[in-house]
Amino acid sequence: MVSSSHEALHRIFQEDPALFARAVKALGVSFAEPVSAVPLTTDLTENRPVERRVDTLLRMETGDNGSFLLAVESQGKQDHDKPASWAYYLSHLHAKYRLPPVLLVVCADRRTAAWAARHVDIGPPQWPSLTVRPLVLGPDQLPVIDSPDEAARDIPLTVLSAALHRRDPDADAILKALASALKGLSADDENTASIFIELTEQGLGKTPAAELWRQIMAADLSFFQSETAQSLRAEGRAEGRAEDILLLLERRGVVVSEGERARIVGCGDLDVLGVWFSRAITASSVAEVFGEGE
């Protein structure tokens, strides 16, 4: 099953696509700030038995009228089959959309980040036909954001910083700065705060930092309205996420049967609901949301 921390490391770019341009500045790579970003289907399957899915796929439009595809992969451990899959993703996307693709790999583990950052040549050594060059964000690439003022200027970047540094001694300071920044949001931003609170909790995984975050939220969330406070309870979060999935499918014109609706509403597993919500953004049927046939 896909882990919550895995989901958070790529879903954060769905919530704020412009985060990509800001985050990769740490890598010395400059991309224009996008003026818009359109979610695309993450299903890269062709008419053959092998199914391939990228974690998050966005079409980015920049102010200088440039367009490119951003494929975000959350990578939890080394997988020596991945470079071949990444090469397929990039080639398929270029052929399908006729736009330049960029692969961003996000890793919370330093060794995994170092492995993913290698350039992989495909072809004979004397003349490689293709080179896979992912941009990689790991703990050593993204700075620690431990100042409340800095966190308030860019909450999504701070959430990503917390997720990538979740095993570091700096994690406590990042979470306290993030909580302070969230406290400074207005009542109108309550919904936005709820999203980033949940992404932070997911991104921290099963680390000591996750327990600290729960303690901070339990102690300091009185400044949010009761609806947000209740959303921190597992049951309330599950119900809210199920409603979000149904509303998203309704707005996209996807037909949901009574049985499918009951299955979504009756699911209390936040990990599963998170996966279903991500799929619902681009799915053309509820069967796709459930991942049936995978």
Side-chain angles (χ1 to χ4, degrees):
M1 179 179 291
V2 179
S3 68
S4 292
S5 58
H6 174 101
E7 288 292 309
L9 288 179
H10 68 86
R11 272 187 54 211
I12 185 71
F13 293 93
Q14 297 175 14
E15 297 297 336
D16 182 6
L19 173 62
F20 164 72
R22 303 195 302 274
V24 298
K25 286 181 181 178
L27 305 177
V29 181
S30 178
F31 280 85
E33 188 92 355
V35 295
S36 68
V38 180
L40 303 174
T41 178
T42 59
D43 189 349
L44 306 183
T45 308
E46 293 189 42
N47 292 326
R48 56 181 183 173
V50 178
E51 180 179 286
R52 302 177 191 268
R53 290 181 184 270
V54 68
D55 285 336
T56 283
L57 180 62
L58 299 166
R59 174 174 175 154
M60 309 286 270
E61 306 289 346
T62 63
D64 57 5
N65 296 321
S67 302
F68 66 95
L69 300 174
L70 175 63
V72 185
E73 283 280 278
S74 173
Q75 192 67 29
K77 61 182 180 180
Q78 298 182 32
D79 180 349
H80 297 290
D81 292 330
K82 270 293 183 177
S85 296
W86 292 339
Y88 172 87
Y89 297 164
L90 296 171
S91 299
H92 177 84
L93 290 171
H94 184 262
K96 181 176 181 178
Y97 293 102
R98 298 298 178 183
L99 288 173
V102 176
L103 173 64
L104 176 66
V105 181
V106 189
C107 311
D109 175 71
R110 284 180 167 82
R111 293 181 65 182
T112 302
W115 162 81
R118 299 175 306 155
H119 294 177
V120 177
D121 292 328
I122 297 176
Q126 64 271 33
W127 193 271
S129 300
L130 182 66
T131 300
V132 180
R133 301 176 61 208
L135 288 169
V136 178
L137 284 174
D140 293 332
Q141 286 73 44
L142 199 71
V144 169
I145 300 177
D146 55 7
S147 158
D149 289 341
E150 189 178 357
R153 285 194 292 271
D154 199 333
I155 288 176
L157 190 64
T158 308
V159 172
L160 185 60
S161 178
L164 294 186
H165 292 281
R166 63 196 184 201
R167 295 186 179 89
D168 294 351
D170 300 307
D172 291 12
I174 299 172
L175 295 177
K176 290 173 183 176
L178 177 57
S180 176
L182 290 169
K183 189 173 182 178
L185 293 176
S186 67
D188 292 339
D189 291 321
E190 183 182 343
N191 225 13
T192 299
S194 297
I195 291 171
F196 290 123
I197 288 169
E198 182 178 347
L199 281 172
T200 302
E201 184 174 339
Q202 289 182 343
L204 295 174
K206 298 179 180 179
T207 60
E211 179 57 32
L212 173 64
W213 181 244
R214 284 189 284 271
Q215 292 173 8
I216 292 174
M217 292 296 96
D220 293 347
L221 268 189
S222 57
F223 55 85
F224 282 118
Q225 299 298 322
S226 60
E227 181 180 347
T228 300
Q230 289 170 2
S231 73
L232 293 177
R233 301 189 183 102
E235 183 178 350
R237 290 203 311 273
E239 290 175 357
R241 181 44 56 92
E243 291 173 2
D244 289 343
I245 292 170
L246 291 171
L247 179 61
L248 179 58
L249 292 172
E250 178 185 340
R251 293 286 176 85
R252 296 189 59 247
V254 178
V255 177
V256 182
S257 70
E258 287 302 316
E260 290 165 339
R261 180 180 297 273
R263 180 176 174 184
I264 292 171
V265 172
C267 180
D269 189 323
L270 283 169
D271 288 350
V272 172
L273 288 167
V275 173
W276 287 355
F277 182 86
S278 295
R279 290 174 179 165
I281 294 173
T282 53
S284 58
S285 68
V286 182
E288 269 188 29
V289 173
F290 293 152
E292 292 175 355
E294 290 185 0

